[in-house]
Amino acid sequence: MTEKTTYTVTGIDNRGCSNKQSFTVTPIAAPSLAVLGKTQICLGESVTLVGQGASSYEWVMGNQTVSNSAVYTVKPEHDIALFLSGTTQVCKSDTQINVQVILPPNVVVYGDKEVCPNEAFVITAQGATSYRWSTGDITSSISYAPISSSTYYVTGYDDFGCQTTVEYPVRVKDVPKLDIDISNKMGCLGTPDEVSVSVSGGVFYTWSSIPSLPELGDGAHEDSLLLLIDEPTTLTVVGKGENGCEASTSVTVDMLPRQPFLFDVNPHLIDANNPTVLFKGNSPINAEWAWTPAIGLNEIKGNDLKYQYDTESIGDSVVVTVHAIDANGCEYTGYDTVYVWKTFWAPTAFTPNKDGKNETFKFYGGNFIDEFEFILYDRLGQVVFEGHSIDDEWDGKYKGKECQAGVYGWVVSYKGVYAGAERSGEQRGYVTILK
């Protein structure tokens, strides 16, 4: 029967009486089943299927009823076939639903596993169509320079949207722990101090300094050094450990304060009747003072001394060497000259070292002299300076260049009138350049 039909029946008894009755039969259509829900899912996902079109439902999987509800949720690990039976009144319909389980991408990460602090690593993911890292990057490769060990996560996606998350640890290796040992961190400004410095904790070292020290050159690599330092200096060493990582450390050598170097040598001109000279140290205060009255004589100590010269034996002049050691142990050295009265005289040494004292060589006295000519020559006889007056001075240079320390000879020719009598002559002597 495909449509609604009315049936009529007439009944007649034995007397001939009759009666009629009608009955209508309406056919019921079998339920038209529909299923809502995804039929392709990624492994690990759940799918919810909703049956429609019937009054009651039966979900069957593998000959076993798994649900009698219109809604069925399942989390399959492989492809499955489900059968849904739907009933309306007495009519029943069946349908089959195939759920496909798609395997996620096989994501593999490779690259650097260990790096030194602040050294860049590169790691790369493969096996998927697109990627997203825990760092926010969406490229297949990432590069960072970490300071501590970290684990990086990447999620790879295929074209269907299935995903796999993989973790990749990157270990930051330990740097060497460098230890500097230095003999003294304080020196005397302007005076080279010997400083012993050593380092431990690494296997290879490179030293540098500010300002640059000539002993270090382009980089010294020893674990211990002996340096001469005369100004504030910062020493830096980079050490490499057995694992190849580097660390650096620095130490600074400061300079102790220095006081002005002030002393008196008085008088500067002596004779046989007045041969005594006063040596007095003024600064630095609280210092130990020592004086050498002339080259070759014994040193005397004290900061307020009187010394009597033998004017017959010391020649035209003597150089006084002054030495002081202050409370910090810093040393000071200076020079001055004492002259012996003669017709004219000259110092036996001078110090063209730009300290403002004894910078030039000149002759003294000779107030009666009208003509005065002299030359200075080196040990090879080469004339290095010519003078035409007793007031001319030699600065220790030849053709603008500083002469070497050492002994130089001089020859003087003079002429004048003294006490109504003409006096003339030639004298020779030597002078030493001290530096």
Side-chain angles (χ1 to χ4, degrees), residues 77-230:
E77 296 181 354
H78 50 76
D79 295 348
I80 59 172
L82 291 168
F83 296 91
L84 174 64
S85 295
T87 302
T88 300
Q89 295 183 359
V90 296
C91 296
K92 182 178 181 181
S93 294
D94 298 306
T95 188
Q96 180 175 330
I97 305 96
N98 295 316
V99 178
Q100 181 184 6
V101 176
I102 300 174
L103 296 177
N106 181 26
V107 177
V108 177
V109 179
Y110 63 91
D112 298 313
K113 295 182 179 295
E114 293 182 330
V115 293
C116 297
N118 295 310
E119 179 186 4
F121 68 79
V122 177
I123 55 178
T124 301
Q126 65 178 20
T129 304
S130 61
Y131 305 92
R132 179 172 293 277
W133 294 84
S134 54
T135 58
D137 296 281
I138 57 174
T139 54
S140 60
S141 296
I142 62 171
S143 178
Y144 286 92
I147 60 174
S148 59
S149 299
S150 300
T151 298
Y152 298 86
Y153 299 86
V154 61
T155 300
Y157 302 87
D158 60 16
D159 293 331
F160 187 72
C162 294
Q163 66 185 53
T164 299
T165 298
V166 176
E167 65 178 40
Y168 192 89
V170 177
R171 189 178 79 86
V172 174
K173 297 182 286 187
D174 294 331
V175 299
K177 185 178 180 181
L178 303 180
D179 183 29
I180 286 185
D181 183 31
I182 188 168
S183 59
N184 52 299
K185 293 186 178 180
M186 301 291 285
C188 297
L189 185 63
T191 301
D193 286 296
E194 196 170 73
V195 176
S196 174
V197 61
S198 63
V199 63
S200 60
V203 296
F204 183 79
Y205 306 99
T206 301
W207 293 87
S208 61
S209 67
I210 299 176
S212 179
L213 295 175
E215 297 97 319
L216 300 184
D218 295 329
H221 304 291
E222 296 83 358
D223 58 3
S224 61
L225 300 170
L226 192 61
L227 307 172
L228 289 177
I229 297 177
D230 62 356

Side-chain angles (χ1 to χ4, degrees), residues 389-410:
S389 166
I390 197 169
D391 296 321
D392 288 347
E393 301 180 21
W394 180 43
D395 61 2
K397 295 181 180 179
Y398 176 58
K399 294 184 178 181
K401 295 184 178 180
E402 294 183 358
C403 293
Q404 295 181 350
V407 178
Y408 292 79
W410 55 261

